[in-house]
Amino acid sequence: MPNGQWYPPEWPDRIRALAHGDLVPVPPRRAATVLLLRAERTALAVHMLRRRTSMAFAAGAYAYPGGGVDPRDDARRIGWAGPPRETWAERLGVGPDDAQAIVCAAVRETYEESGVLLAGPDATSVVGDTTGDDWEADRLALVARDLSFAEFLDRRGLVLRSDLLGAWARWITPEFEPKRYDTWFFVAALPEGQRTRNASTEADRTVWIDPAEATAGYDRGELLMMPPTVSTLRDLLPYATPAQAVAASATRDLTPVLARASLGDDGEIVLSWPGHDEFTKHIHAAGGTAP
C-alpha cells in the first residue's frame, strides 16, 4: 500500500533537466517553521495545518506554520529574551544577523498562521489572548509586510522569547525545485492562555494531533506529507510532553538534509534523502515509481 509521501509528477522531468545541464538550481531562501506542541491527556500533540488543494506547492499536504525570512529582520536590534544572538548563531550554523532573522521568522510565522505569539512584556512572561481586533489588525499588517516584526514588537512593547524555542532540524529544498528554501525546524510549547486558530490563507484545516497518529495516517496513505514533516514527526515519538521535546532539542543534529537524485544509464532515477532511507524512490524511465 502506498504511503502519503508527497511526490509531484513534474519531478522526473526536472531531475533529468538538472542532470543534463538544462536546469540551473536557484539559491534557497532562508525559512523557518515551528512544531507547536501541547500536552493532552495521554500523549503529546502537535499543531498541523493542511495546505489548500489550490496551492501550487504541496497542495493538500499537512505541514507546520512557517515561511520565509523577512530581510528587515536581519540587522535591526529588537527586544530579545533568552540565549543571545551569538549563541543562536553557533547553534544554527549562521552569522548573528542571520540567526536573529531566522528566529524572528519562526516566531512571526507562527503568529501569522496560528495566532500564537512567543513574545511577552519581559523575559519572564508571555502575552495572553491575542484574538482581539487590534491584535488581528497587526497580524494582517505583518502578513502583508506592511509592518516589520521589529516594528510590531516595538509598538506592543514586547520582547521575543527565544528561550521558548528549540532548534530541531534543518532541511533544504531539492535542487530541482523551482522554489527552494533552507528551512530550520523549531519546537515550542503552546504558551499558557493562548490558543491556536486557522489564521492562514494557505490552509483549509488545522488539527492538534498525536505524532503517532499522524505518522500512522501517513503510513496508510491517508495523510499527505513532505519528507521533512514525516521525519520530524517520527522524531517526536519518544517524548511524552512539550518540555521533554524542547529540552531534547539542545542536542539535536542540525546538519542540513538535501535530497540527491542520480540518473542511471537506463534512464532510471534514484531519489534519496541522506540518512532517511524510507523516502528513497526509484523512478523508472517510463515514469513509474517503486520504493
Side-chain angles (χ1 to χ4, degrees), residues 88-222:
W88 276 109
E90 183 177 358
R91 179 73 179 111
L92 301 179
V94 297
D97 287 349
D98 286 313
Q100 172 177 290
I102 292 162
V103 172
C104 281
V107 175
R108 174 179 47 76
E109 288 287 340
T110 301
Y111 180 53
E112 289 180 7
E113 297 195 349
S114 73
V116 170
L117 181 59
L118 303 174
D122 54 51
T124 63
S125 62
V126 180
V127 297
D129 186 9
T130 62
T131 59
D133 290 344
D134 58 333
W135 285 101
E136 181 63 8
D138 279 352
R139 190 191 68 80
L140 291 174
L142 286 169
V143 172
R145 299 296 183 263
D146 294 333
L147 181 68
S148 75
F149 194 60
E151 292 168 339
F152 167 72
L153 293 175
D154 287 347
R155 175 185 295 183
R156 291 280 175 178
L158 300 174
V159 295
L160 182 152
R161 291 288 307 276
S162 78
D163 56 313
L164 299 181
L165 288 166
W168 194 254
R170 182 181 177 184
W171 289 65
I172 301 176
T173 309
E175 293 181 329
F176 46 82
E177 271 289 288
K179 291 185 178 180
R180 302 185 62 219
Y181 296 92
D182 186 350
T183 305
W184 283 261
F185 288 71
F186 296 85
V187 291
L190 176 70
E192 185 176 352
Q194 294 193 38
R195 60 183 186 271
T196 57
R197 57 195 175 92
N198 185 5
S200 173
T201 58
E202 298 180 355
D204 60 12
R205 183 185 185 220
T206 61
V207 296
W208 281 99
I209 189 169
D210 179 345
E213 180 183 345
T215 52
Y218 166 86
D219 290 337
R220 293 191 299 267
E222 298 169 359

Side-chain angles (χ1 to χ4, degrees), residues 203-248:
D204 60 12
R205 183 185 185 220
T206 61
V207 296
W208 281 99
I209 189 169
D210 179 345
E213 180 183 345
T215 52
Y218 166 86
D219 290 337
R220 293 191 299 267
E222 298 169 359
L223 300 182
L224 183 66
M225 298 181 200
M226 293 173 279
T229 309
V230 181
S231 173
T232 49
L233 280 172
R234 294 204 197 281
D235 288 344
L236 284 175
L237 294 178
Y239 306 105
T241 68
Q244 289 178 3
V246 174

